[in-house]
Each structure stands twice: as structure tokens, then as C-alpha cells.
Amino acid sequence: FYSKLIAEIRTVDPDRMIWLEPAVQTSTGLPSFLSKPFAARNLAYASHFYDPIIQLGMGYQGKIPAALGYARMQAEATLLEMPLVVGEWGTFLDHRQAPEYIEDQASLQEELMIPGALLWNYDPDPDSSTTLEKDRFDPYNPDGSERTSVPHLDRPYPRLVAGTPTSFGFQIATRVFRLEWESSSQVASGKPSVVYLPARHYPNGFKVESSDPAGSWSWSWDATKRTLEVQHDPSSPRHRLTISPKP
């Protein structure tokens, strides 16, 4: 089925990336049973993920089910020779443990350096929805106010990395963001790494530190876009950037 559909799409669009969504059982962490790479290229493995325990209305039991599910998704994407994106994730954001759940999911996505994850869902007109969930997955209340999970969703992340990222992550308790990457003089020479920094986590500004030698690197700030641009030391092969809030 997938191969036939990909071939048909390529007859009219030979260039764009195709996201391949596996069967529905993968949304709970079960395997897809796809067992070998496709002949076509430029594909992404776009599994969904929902922790079945919290989705059934029970209390959140911690990140172990999600960690197992994400490890399985990563293993299948590697087997299929595709990058992993999370095509859909979320939970009932009116659940009292939703912030903890969202934080654990976002942290897992950072640990695996997943390049994209799409939250389900933002619906400005939930009453028109044909689903039973209505606006329970929405990060905003019916009156437009934020739900308590929004600070866990609105987090720093690297928009561009001048080299190959090796790790990144945000600790919401300390509001410290770290990014590590490798570079070479032949790749991305003179190009900046760009990090988005949401205002809510840095109300009094921020401090920027680098593992590069003093005087060999620099940074600039675009307050309108809320982006930090970092020029690393071109003679250093590895870099570690730390951004922390000012008191």
C-alpha cells in the first residue's frame, strides 16, 4: 500500500518529503510491523504517540510507557532509514497531571533530538468538532486563557545549528537550555546557530555561556523574533552553549 501510494505521489510531485504514518496501534507504543526500507527516498516516519493509561482517564503513571514507545518509534525509523517526526501527540490538557505529562513528552523529544512534533490540537471553534474530545486537547481554555501546560510547550529550541547537533534540552525547573554540536571549517563556515528563547522563561533577561575560548565566539539578540544568533569558534570542532535566566 505505502509503496503504491508513494509511487503515485511521485508522478506529480517528485521532490517534496513524504511523511509516512504507520498503523493506528503505533500511537500507543506498539510496533508497526514495517520491516524493511522503502525503495523511494526523501521519506519521514511520522508516528503518533498517546500514553494509553492517561488517555483512558486514569492517573499519569510516569514516563516509562512513553520512553518505551519513543524508543520503539526511533528504532523503527532507523530500520526504515527515515528521520523520525511525531506526527501527532498530546493529551487531555484539562487533566490535573497534564503539565507533568507534557513536560516528560517534550523532554523525550529533546533527548532523541526529534526534529518535529505536532501537538494535537489547537481548535479555535471546538464546538464545531465532530469528535467527542471537543476542546480538551486545546492548550487554551474556552475563554482564551492559557492552560497550565502552555509553559511546558513554549520552550527554547534550536532553529538552526551550524554543524551537527549532538544534544540539546531545556530544564524547566531551572530554565536552563543547553545545546551541543560538532562543526568543521568546511561546513557551515560563518553561519550562525539560532536559538528561540520564549519571553516567559527569561523575564529579566538571560546569560549566554560557551565552551569556546573567550574572544573566539560571539552572539547577537533579535528581540522581535526572540532569537539568539551564535557565531562559534571556527577552529573548535565541538561546542557547548548554555543559556540561563538572569535573577
Side-chain angles (χ1 to χ4, degrees), residues 112-155:
L112 294 171
M113 294 196 298
I114 294 173
L118 283 74
L119 181 77
W120 180 270
N121 71 320
Y122 170 65
D123 187 352
D125 186 18
D127 290 334
S128 67
S129 173
T130 58
T131 64
L132 295 176
E133 67 206 26
K134 296 297 182 181
D135 61 352
R136 295 189 65 200
F137 280 71
D138 199 306
Y140 295 91
N141 292 303
D143 64 2
S145 60
E146 291 183 349
R147 283 187 164 143
T148 54
S149 294
V150 171
H152 302 266
L153 294 164
D154 184 21
R155 54 203 295 123

Side-chain angles (χ1 to χ4, degrees), residues 22-36:
V24 67
Q25 78 272 1
T26 61
S27 296
T28 63
L30 295 174
S32 69
F33 304 111
L34 296 172
S35 59
K36 61 182 180 180

Side-chain angles (χ1 to χ4, degrees), residues 195-215:
V195 179
Y196 166 72
L197 298 176
R200 73 175 71 239
H201 296 302
Y202 304 97
N204 300 319
F206 50 83
K207 180 173 66 174
V208 184
E209 299 173 282
S210 173
S211 61
D212 291 356

